[in-house]
Amino acid sequence: EIVLTQSPGTLSLSPGERATLSCRASQSVSSSYLAWYQQKPGQAPRLLIYGASNRATGIPDRFSGSGSGTDFTLTIRRLEPEDFAVYYCQQYGNSPLYLFGQGTKLEI
Amino acid sequence: EVQLVESGGGLVQPGGSLRLSCTASGFTFSRYWMSWVRQAPGKGLEWVANINEDGSEKYFVDSVRGRFTISRDNVRTSLSLRMNSLRGEDTAVYFCARHLGPKFRAPLDYWGQGTLVSVSS
């Protein structure tokens, strides 16, 4: 079974800086089946990126996804105050179905 | 506007049962796979179950298979999760979510706000 490991666990940055979040899979994941979500306290997750690099509807272009195989990255260019949240990667192509990583907390 | 509204959460004793509902609006419900995802307090996300457009295909995470049932009513545009033999580790906020497109393997593009299930004596 695939395991998704996100790093770092916590990332401390300032508004205006660039954030780079990593998601590593224990086995190769099809790029078509890798997504990223943002979750703020008390809110539902929001889909940011799917298919490793496709922005979901309404997502600002400062968010971008990349990667293939076992290594995937979410980059947030020029952090805005509202970007500080927890970010999860998810694979939805292999077993176990719809597996999420453990999350990266992006804090100021 | 797509909306998903969960209900039915609450406090239940270990071994008890609960039925969660999710009412959908703003899209053609019968054309989409739907999922339940849960989040234990202070923890990450865990997919629980999903169901295809007409309810003929259903999948569950191993930890709930045989205890939870998922169903849908396309006329009432509602999704349900029947939870039996509840355990402490089932304590979580339960979200319903829509699949992006009419696909089994798809990310989840719309989510409800969640309903809290607490299993405790």
Side-chain angles (χ1 to χ4, degrees):
Chain A
E1 289 191 349
I2 288 179
V3 175
L4 296 179
T5 302
Q6 294 187 240
S7 61
T10 302
L11 184 59
S12 299
L13 293 170
S14 299
E17 293 190 296
R18 177 188 186 98
T20 303
L21 286 67
S22 173
C23 177
R24 179 162 290 178
S26 59
Q27 303 172 35
S28 184
V29 173
S30 169
S31 297
S32 300
Y33 301 136
L34 195 289
W36 290 91
Y37 298 82
Q38 176 194 69
Q39 187 180 32
K40 298 179 181 179
Q43 295 186 18
R46 177 172 72 145
L47 177 65
L48 299 175
I49 301 287
Y50 64 95
S53 61
N54 301 291
R55 272 188 302 276
T57 302
I59 301 304
D61 62 6
R62 65 179 182 273
F63 291 90
S64 63
S66 63
S68 63
T70 59
D71 290 294
F72 297 88
T73 300
L74 174 70
T75 301
I76 312 172
R77 184 180 84 244
R78 293 194 311 273
L79 283 165
E80 298 284 346
E82 62 266 27
D83 298 337
F84 292 91
V86 178
Y87 291 83
Y88 295 94
C89 61
Q90 180 207 24
Q91 73 87 22
Y92 45 92
N94 299 323
S95 177
L97 295 174
Y98 313 106
L99 179 68
F100 292 91
Q102 84 280 15
T104 289
K105 182 179 181 181
L106 178 57
E107 64 176 24
I108 296 178
Chain B
E1 179 191 6
V2 173
Q3 285 197 322
L4 298 170
V5 179
E6 301 94 338
S7 60
L11 176 63
V12 61
Q13 292 188 337
S17 298
L18 209 57
R19 184 183 184 94
L20 306 183
S21 295
C22 171
T23 300
S25 61
F27 66 102
T28 306
F29 181 72
S30 61
R31 294 182 181 175
Y32 289 84
W33 280 76
M34 298 293 296
S35 277
W36 287 98
V37 176
R38 67 184 178 183
Q39 186 170 36
K43 302 298 184 182
L45 300 167
E46 180 184 39
W47 171 80
V48 174
N50 67 2
I51 187 169
N52 74 334
E53 297 93 329
D54 66 6
S56 61
E57 291 185 55
K58 305 171 186 181
Y59 299 90
F60 299 89
V61 68
D62 287 349
S63 59
V64 309
R65 190 174 294 115
R67 299 189 298 123
F68 289 13
T69 303
I70 188 172
S71 61
R72 65 190 296 160
D73 184 331
N74 286 342
V75 174
R76 293 186 170 84
T77 66
S78 67
L79 176 72
S80 295
L81 186 69
R82 174 70 177 181
M83 304 182 294
N84 296 328
S85 304
L86 283 161
R87 307 166 180 166
E89 55 264 37
D90 297 317
T91 294
V93 174
Y94 285 73
F95 298 98
C96 71
R98 189 186 83 167
H99 286 220
L100 175 63
K103 296 179 181 179
F104 170 60
R105 288 191 175 87
L108 305 173
D109 65 346
Y110 284 94
W111 298 62
Q113 282 305 300
T115 187
L116 176 62
V117 172
S118 296
V119 183
S120 174
S121 54

